Amino acid sequence: MNSQTTKGNQVPQIYHQSCRSIKLCCALTSATVYFGVLSALGPLGPDVTRAAGSPALPARTISLNESGNLHLTSRHGFTLNEQGSGLGTIIGPIYVHLKIVSTSRVTAEVNIYPRAGSISGYGAAHYRREGAVGHFSGSLSINRGTGIYNHARGSGLSFSGTIRRSNYAVTVHVSGRVSD
């Protein structure tokens, strides 16, 4: 058996190989824990996506607070197709297909396209006219997403806004909690 002298003591060579193995094992364990913590934190930015087949991450909750000033792109009967910029928690283009169902009710499909994905939902609201402006207020459910928002879901979100009757410009506000 080979040995080395360390401060007058005889230390077997196999002990040094054991120490190297332990150090390597500790380094690998530390790296695994570090990357495991990073994975558990979820996406670190808009360009990070989960790889297909990667283990599921714990759900996180996002408080949405989105607003948009939209302009009419087309109108088919009582359906207004609107687009504009959404500002708030998630920034990006927003598209709304707002349908005036009756003199007191509207429904809407809302699509938000932030960088690296999309979020879509459906809403229903009470509607009332006050002169040249219509007001709506109700709730919205997020039922699908893509990209880093692939698992976005939420229900009972607040959904409100106005419709200017002269040019059909729409303001819209969506707020509530969404899980991802």
Side-chain angles (χ1 to χ4, degrees):
M1 179 186 281
N2 292 341
S3 59
Q4 288 183 335
T5 303
T6 308
K7 294 186 181 179
N9 296 329
Q10 294 289 322
V11 180
Q13 183 66 30
I14 194 158
Y15 174 78
H16 289 292
Q17 291 171 349
S18 241
C19 283
R20 279 188 226 119
S21 295
I22 290 171
K23 287 178 185 175
L24 178 61
C25 184
C26 286
L28 288 173
T29 302
S30 296
T32 302
V33 169
Y34 174 75
F35 287 113
V37 168
L38 285 180
S39 295
L41 290 175
L44 299 176
D47 295 325
V48 178
T49 58
R50 295 182 192 133
S54 66
L57 299 176
R60 64 183 174 146
T61 302
I62 301 168
S63 290
L64 276 181
N65 191 8
E66 305 301 316
S67 294
N69 292 315
L70 313 175
H71 64 275
L72 184 69
T73 58
S74 66
R75 182 177 144 203
H76 304 283
F78 293 105
T79 300
L80 309 175
N81 297 310
E82 304 273 338
Q83 83 177 59
S85 295
L87 299 174
T89 310
I90 300 173
I91 298 170
I94 183 169
Y95 296 86
V96 175
H97 304 286
L98 188 72
K99 184 174 186 178
I100 302 169
V101 178
S102 70
T103 57
S104 63
R105 188 165 176 261
V106 297
T107 61
E109 178 184 346
V110 177
N111 298 288
I112 305 170
Y113 294 94
R115 225 174 127 195
S118 69
I119 299 173
S120 299
Y122 294 94
H126 295 286
Y127 175 74
R128 73 182 188 291
R129 283 181 27 195
E130 290 180 4
V133 178
H135 299 267
F136 57 91
S137 180
S139 65
L140 181 114
S141 294
I142 302 293
N143 57 358
R144 77 177 179 266
T146 64
I148 64 171
Y149 304 101
N150 190 39
H151 299 285
R153 300 291 181 269
S155 60
L157 282 75
S158 171
F159 171 62
S160 61
T162 61
I163 305 169
R164 184 169 307 281
R165 293 173 41 92
S166 60
N167 61 0
Y168 298 105
V170 170
T171 64
V172 65
H173 183 80
V174 176
S175 63
R177 301 181 71 73
V178 176
S179 64
D180 179 25

